[in-house]
Amino acid sequence: MTISAYWELDPAAEPQRFEPLAGRQLPGIVKSQRGPALNRFDYYAQVGSAAAQAGFSGLFIRHREEADESRVIAAAVAREVPGIVLVPEFPASVGSAVYAAKQAVSFQRSTRNRLGWAIAAAEGAADRRRSGDYIGADDLGERLEEFLTVARGVHAAQPFTFEGRHFAVKDGGFADPLNRADFPQVFLQGEDEEDLEYSARQADVHLFRASALADVSRQVETLDGLGKRTGRPVAYGLLQPVVARPFADEAQRHAERIGAPAEALVGSYDEVAARLADLAGVGISHFVFRSLPSLEEAYLVGQHVLPRLRARLSTLRVAA
C-alpha cells in the first residue's frame, strides 16, 4: 500500500513563534524604527519547509477562527516551499461556491496542482454565529453538498446551471484556461452515519479521528459499503497525534510535558511505526500527523517514523 503523510499546521498553536506581543513597549531610551525581522508567516513557511525536507507528502492547515486564514497561509507557503501539497481546512460557509472554485483553480495554476480542500467539521451554533453563520444545524449537510456540487460543476462543465436552497448558478462554468486546472482533492471528516454518507457521495478522502484499531476498522468497513453503493472510490485517512522518540519512556515524558491527547500514539520510533502499519493494514492510506512543538516534531516524525513505516509496508507487500 502507498501512503500519503501530511504534517498538520495549527495556526493558533504556539503563539509565541514569531508573533510580536501586543502592547509591548520598549524602554524609553530605546528608539527602534524597525519592525520585527520575522513574522508569523515566516514560521508557517518554516513548518512547511520542515515537512517537505522530512519527506511528508503535504501540509494540512487547520481552520481556526481566532487565527490566520488557512487558505491564505497555504498560498504563502506554496510560494516558499515547492513540491508539497497544501491542504487548507475551511468551512462550507466561506461564501460563494463559484468564487471558492475560482480561487482554487487559480491556486492550482500557480502551483502546478498542489492544492487540496479539507472541509472543516461543523461547529456548534454559538461558534457559527460568532463567525456570522446563522444556518440551522439541520441544514449543514445540505449546504455542504450544494457547495461541493456547485464548485465541481462550474469547474467541469460550461454552461452549468444549479438551483438549490443555499447556492444557485445559471449558465456558469469556467472557460479555458481555468477549466484545465485539476479540481482539488476533497477531504471530508466525521464519524456519524450522516457524515459517512456525505463522504460516499462527495469525498475523495474521508478523515477519521484517531481511535482504537477496531473502531477505525469498523468505520472503514461502513464507509466502504456506502462507497460501493454510490460507485465512487473513497480513500480513508486518519487525524493522528503522535509522539515518538528513540525510546518509549522518552516519548512518554514528552507526551506528558506537552499534554498530548489520550488518542496520541506514544512510543519508540519502531513502536509507533508498527502501530501505524496496523492502521494501514485496515485501509488507512492518508495520515495527518501532529505534535508540539510543530516545527521540531515535523523533523523527528518525518526522519524517523515515516521511513520505518514505509519499510514495514514495503516488507508486507513483498511477503504478500
Side-chain angles (χ1 to χ4, degrees):
M1 167 185 275
T2 300
I3 65 165
S4 296
Y6 306 84
W7 187 250
E8 180 181 295
L9 169 63
D10 184 345
E14 303 178 278
Q16 75 279 8
R17 297 272 189 154
F18 299 164
E19 189 67 66
L21 297 177
R24 183 173 63 182
Q25 299 293 320
L26 293 172
I29 61 172
V30 178
K31 304 294 182 183
S32 174
Q33 303 299 318
R34 298 188 304 167
L38 298 173
N39 69 20
R40 185 68 170 173
F41 276 79
D42 294 298
Y43 166 64
Y44 300 149
Q46 283 192 352
V47 175
S49 180
Q53 292 173 24
F56 287 93
S57 310
L59 189 68
F60 185 94
I61 306 166
R62 290 296 299 271
H63 165 69
R64 298 296 192 197
E65 284 294 336
E66 70 274 25
D68 291 311
E69 164 58 37
S70 60
R71 291 173 296 168
V72 175
I73 295 172
V77 173
R79 297 297 293 175
E80 297 290 333
V81 185
I84 63 171
V85 174
L86 287 307
V87 186
E89 180 187 52
F90 59 92
S93 61
V94 293
S96 164
V98 176
Y99 187 60
K102 185 172 183 180
Q103 287 180 320
V105 297
S106 295
F107 192 114
Q108 295 288 58
R109 281 164 46 75
S110 71
T111 63
R112 295 182 175 86
N113 295 315
R114 290 195 284 132
L115 177 67
W117 268 9
I119 307 300
E123 298 177 309
D127 291 326
R128 294 200 305 275
R129 286 195 293 269
R130 273 194 292 271
S131 61
D133 182 12
Y134 280 76
I135 190 173
D138 293 341
D139 293 327
L140 290 169
E142 183 181 53
R143 180 178 66 181
L144 168 63
E145 288 215 67
E146 288 188 12
F147 178 86
L148 291 172
T149 296
V150 170
R152 283 195 170 107
V154 295
H155 173 265
Q158 189 187 36
F160 175 78
T161 296
F162 178 87
E163 183 71 38
R165 291 183 60 230
H166 308 281
F167 298 94
V169 58
K170 183 173 176 59
D171 296 334
F174 299 153
D176 187 82
L178 296 184
N179 59 11
R180 282 190 272 137
D182 292 346
F183 193 80
Q185 192 175 40
V186 174
F187 294 69
L188 298 182
Q189 51 192 288
E191 277 67 40
D192 294 342
E193 184 175 350
E194 189 178 37
D195 297 325
L196 300 182
E197 289 174 350
Y198 292 142
S199 281
R201 294 191 294 267
Q202 296 283 358
D204 298 306
V205 180
H206 182 90
L207 296 173
F208 298 106
R209 289 193 302 266
S211 58
L213 181 63
D215 294 333
V216 174
S217 179
R218 185 170 57 253
Q219 292 164 342
V220 166
E221 184 177 354
T222 300
L223 184 51
D224 189 52
L226 293 170
K228 287 176 180 175
R229 270 190 269 162
T230 61
R232 295 184 67 255
V234 180
Y236 311 120
L238 200 64
L239 297 161
Q240 182 62 67
V242 60
V243 179
R245 290 293 186 273
F247 300 100
D249 58 343
E250 293 180 58
Q252 187 59 48
R253 286 196 296 271
H254 184 71
E256 293 170 359
R257 188 160 52 246
I258 65 171
E263 66 271 20
L265 287 182
V266 180
S268 70
Y269 298 140
D270 288 322
E271 290 169 342
V272 170
R275 286 149 73 184
L276 292 172
D278 289 339
L279 290 162
V282 301
I284 300 298
S285 59
H286 292 67
F287 289 93
V288 179
F289 297 114
R290 75 174 187 270
S291 190
L292 293 174
S294 188
L295 175 61
E296 292 81 357
E297 293 296 304
Y299 282 115
L300 283 177
V301 175
Q303 292 175 348
H304 297 287
V305 175
L306 290 188
R308 286 170 166 82
L309 172 59
R310 288 171 175 143
R312 283 178 176 273
L313 296 179
S314 177
T315 301
L316 291 175
R317 283 197 300 269
V318 171

